Amino acid sequence: MMERPTRNLGFDLLRVTESAAMMAARWMGRGDKNEGDRAAVDAMRLMFGTVDFRGRVVIGEGEKDEAPMLYTGEELGTGNGPEMDIAVDPVEGTTLLANGRPNAIAVVGLAPRGSMMDPGRSYYMQKLVVPPGARNAVDLDAPVSDNLASIAKALGKQVDDLVVFVLDKPRHRTLVDEIRRAGARIQFHTDGDVNGALMAAQGNCGIDLMIGTGGTPEGILAAVAIKVIGGQILGRLDPQSEDERRHLEEAGFDLRKVYSVDDMVRSNDVYFAATGITDGPFLKGVRYESHFVVTHSMVMRGSTGSLRYIESHTDLDKLMQISALSYH
């Protein structure tokens, strides 16, 4: 007898990210990243209130005293249904959005309660992300040149064929020199940790790997999607200030430990959704037409390994209703 399919929470997440993206996109290129983020947060929280689950924010906008909504520890959902950990980034790439640049997205990930890594007060993580074909070919402690050679071999390429996603930050000067000496090519980005990890894990967006230090919350959020895609993310907490280091050591974190995708998300029963806000390599941005709004999203479900790309058309009057509700 065929087992009855269970409900796919990913489609509920789709409505959450679509709403956030549509509201945030109004602020594209207007130079105010805080207003764009606020619009997305308000819309996302409103839509979370319609989802039948008992959610707890593990990766959110910050501590409660700094973020009035979607803060770490906040409870979301109707209170009915499964207990889940939530990772959110209403606008991944607030500066990209404010400056009208590509690759801003709205992102949400879910995992069963207690299965998502809680990074505490860790803000930065050293990361290495690769697609499925190279998931067993990487070692965070190995020299950059060795990792590039192993990844190239696993993917059936030469090192000089590889394209590496690197955040264009002063802390990566030595890393950039090492990549160049090894012969690989670099695609620099000012922001967009989650986007970079998704591009690297999928392996079909012109990026072969992502390497460097970026946000810890973004790493764990990306790990939800990487669980479904089948790639690998390796990470190590990499505090960038003495205060951050002290807080982590006092909390008992081992700063030498390397976390894999299975350490960051300890369940396969995960859900992930992302909607483009501005145009990117795998998700187009929000487009406003005369009577409707067009969005492009991706939805993933871990238990089935499914990945769907969805184009949605939303009536502009309904969007205005969401906007009105979000500001009350």
Side-chain angles (χ1 to χ4, degrees), residues 53-66:
F53 77 134
R54 290 170 287 172
R56 179 192 63 186
V57 178
V58 175
I59 304 296
E61 287 286 278
E63 300 296 332
K64 184 175 181 178
D65 57 348
E66 295 181 7

Side-chain angles (χ1 to χ4, degrees), residues 2-3 7 14 18 56 65-66 69 74 105 107 112 120 149 156 165 173 177 190 205 220 256 258 260 283 297 316 325:
M2 183 177 294
E3 187 174 334
R7 179 162 153 259
L14 174 65
E18 282 179 345
R56 179 192 63 186
D65 57 348
E66 295 181 7
M69 293 183 180
E74 183 175 2
I105 57 176
V107 196
F165 181 109
R173 286 172 184 163
D177 288 341
T190 58
C205 299
I220 297 167
R256 299 166 298 178
V258 175
S260 71
L283 290 176
S297 306
L316 199 55
L325 289 170

Side-chain angles (χ1 to χ4, degrees), residues 220-236:
I220 297 167
L221 178 48
V224 178
I226 294 170
K227 287 284 284 193
V228 185
I229 296 170
Q232 180 63 279
I233 176 170
L234 299 178
R236 176 166 37 221

Side-chain angles (χ1 to χ4, degrees), residues 275-321:
T275 300
I277 302 175
T278 60
D279 284 340
F282 60 93
L283 290 176
K284 295 179 182 178
V286 175
R287 189 173 78 246
Y288 299 95
E289 301 294 349
S290 56
H291 299 293
F292 59 91
V293 186
V294 182
T295 56
H296 292 85
S297 306
M298 64 191 310
V299 181
M300 303 185 197
R301 185 180 190 182
S303 62
T304 59
S306 61
L307 166 58
R308 295 178 173 91
Y309 288 96
I310 297 173
E311 178 180 303
S312 298
H313 293 233
T314 300
D315 185 277
L316 199 55
D317 290 338
K318 292 182 179 178
L319 177 60
M320 292 302 100
Q321 292 173 15

Side-chain angles (χ1 to χ4, degrees), residues 22-323:
M22 288 188 290
M23 299 309 301
R26 289 294 193 192
W27 294 92
M28 184 181 76
R30 295 172 65 180
D32 192 334
K33 68 178 186 179
N34 292 327
E35 282 302 312
D37 192 48
R38 182 178 69 86
V41 169
D42 290 347
M44 188 171 274
R45 191 172 188 275
L46 176 69
M47 298 309 294
F48 264 127
T50 69
V51 181
D52 283 331
F53 77 134
R54 290 170 287 172
R56 179 192 63 186
V57 178
V58 175
I59 304 296
E61 287 286 278
E63 300 296 332
K64 184 175 181 178
D65 57 348
E66 295 181 7
M69 293 183 180
L70 300 178
Y71 57 84
T72 302
E74 183 175 2
E75 299 285 334
L76 297 172
T78 63
N80 301 314
E83 292 185 281
M84 306 292 286
D85 287 339
I86 309 171
V88 299
D89 201 339
V91 179
E92 207 257 336
T94 53
T95 301
L96 299 176
L97 171 63
N99 293 328
R101 293 176 178 159
N103 296 331
I105 57 176
V107 196
V108 176
L110 295 185
R113 181 69 61 93
S115 65
M116 189 179 292
M117 177 182 169
D118 184 345
R121 298 179 70 173
S122 172
Y123 306 118
Y124 289 93
M125 173 185 280
Q126 180 188 3
K127 307 174 200 174
L128 176 56
V129 182
V130 293
R135 62 171 289 121
N136 297 317
V138 287
D139 178 353
L140 198 60
D141 290 320
V144 171
S145 58
D146 288 359
N147 272 317
L148 291 173
S150 296
I151 293 167
K153 182 178 179 181
L155 298 179
K157 299 184 176 185
Q158 301 298 317
V159 171
D160 59 6
D161 295 329
L162 298 178
V163 178
V164 186
F165 181 109
V166 178
L167 290 176
D168 191 6
K169 307 292 182 183
R171 61 178 176 264
H172 289 152
R173 286 172 184 163
T174 300
L175 171 65
V176 167
D177 288 341
E178 292 173 337
I179 295 171
R180 285 172 172 165
R181 279 198 300 270
R185 298 172 294 157
I186 300 173
Q187 189 177 107
F188 286 108
H189 291 259
T190 58
D191 302 275
D193 264 66
V194 177
N195 209 314
L198 291 173
M199 291 167 67
Q202 290 186 97
N204 59 359
C205 299
I207 297 292
D208 296 291
L209 67 145
M210 183 182 84
I211 191 169
T213 293
T216 303
E218 288 84 353
I220 297 167
L221 178 48
V224 178
I226 294 170
K227 287 284 284 193
V228 185
I229 296 170
Q232 180 63 279
I233 176 170
L234 299 178
R236 176 166 37 221
L237 304 186
D238 189 14
Q240 298 294 295
S241 70
E242 285 306 312
D243 278 348
E244 184 181 355
R245 179 178 296 275
R246 177 174 53 81
H247 285 306
L248 293 174
E249 289 175 342
E250 289 175 353
F253 284 97
D254 181 356
L255 300 184
R256 299 166 298 178
K257 178 178 173 63
V258 175
Y259 297 90
S260 71
V261 65
D262 294 324
D263 295 316
M264 297 183 201
V265 184
R266 299 180 298 276
S267 172
N268 291 319
D269 191 19
V270 299
Y271 302 88
F272 181 90
T275 300
I277 302 175
T278 60
D279 284 340
F282 60 93
L283 290 176
K284 295 179 182 178
V286 175
R287 189 173 78 246
Y288 299 95
E289 301 294 349
S290 56
H291 299 293
F292 59 91
V293 186
V294 182
T295 56
H296 292 85
S297 306
M298 64 191 310
V299 181
M300 303 185 197
R301 185 180 190 182
S303 62
T304 59
S306 61
L307 166 58
R308 295 178 173 91
Y309 288 96
I310 297 173
E311 178 180 303
S312 298
H313 293 233
T314 300
D315 185 277
L316 199 55
D317 290 338
K318 292 182 179 178
L319 177 60
M320 292 302 100
Q321 292 173 15
I322 294 174
S323 177

